[in-house]
């Protein structure tokens, strides 16, 4: 099982910045990918950014050029630097991790509890 601890959400004005962090812990063999998803009220949860252990990244088109995802593999921690925030970025942001069980047999997917990001205009 993987536990995810999220931090960094808050309230900012449009054009401002926030940095989200997520640290994985628990009983597992390895983490293959970590990322951030977001969900606004009444809307579908969507991928924001994802980073694989090898360093490849995926971004939603709406955040390219504004958000940057990075990782610290030694600590199984991922960061999302969010710049030039827009009101449409307002959502609950959820950390996600995909990995393998401690014995390497089963894939494991975990979600954080979510952290609120609110961007005012």
């Amino acid at each position: 099982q993987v536990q995810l601890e999220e931090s960094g959400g808050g309230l900012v004005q449009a054009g401002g910045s926030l940095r989200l962090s997520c640290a994985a812990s628990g009983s597992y063999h390895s983490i293959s990918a970590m990322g951030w998803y977001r969900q606004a009220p009444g809307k579908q949860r969507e991928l924001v950014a994802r980073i694989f252990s090898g360093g490849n990244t995926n971004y939603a088109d709406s955040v390219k050029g504004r958000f940057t995802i990075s990782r610290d593999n030694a600590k199984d921690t991922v960061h999302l630097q969010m710049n030039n925030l827009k009101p449409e970025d307002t959502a609950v942001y959820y950390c996600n991790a995909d990995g393998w069980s401690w014995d390497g047999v089963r894939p494991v997917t975990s979600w954080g509890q979510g952290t609120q990001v609110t961007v005012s205009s």
Side-chain angles (χ1 to χ4, degrees), residues 14-32:
S17 298
L18 286 173
R19 192 189 195 214
L20 305 183
S21 297
C22 177
S25 63
S27 179
Y28 56 89
H29 178 265
S30 60
I31 299 293
S32 58

Side-chain angles (χ1 to χ4, degrees), residues 20-85:
L20 305 183
S21 297
C22 177
S25 63
S27 179
Y28 56 89
H29 178 265
S30 60
I31 299 293
S32 58
M34 296 184 71
W36 290 92
Y37 292 70
R38 67 187 181 188
Q39 187 167 27
K43 295 188 179 296
Q44 182 178 336
R45 185 175 297 189
E46 64 177 354
L47 173 69
V48 178
R50 186 163 154 92
I51 186 165
F52 295 86
S53 60
N56 290 336
T57 57
N58 292 326
Y59 292 94
D61 288 341
S62 60
V63 308
K64 287 180 179 177
R66 300 188 297 121
F67 292 8
T68 302
I69 191 167
S70 61
R71 76 188 191 281
D72 181 348
N73 285 335
K75 298 176 63 177
D76 283 338
T77 299
V78 66
H79 306 283
L80 185 68
Q81 180 66 45
M82 305 187 294
N83 296 327
N84 192 23
L85 283 160

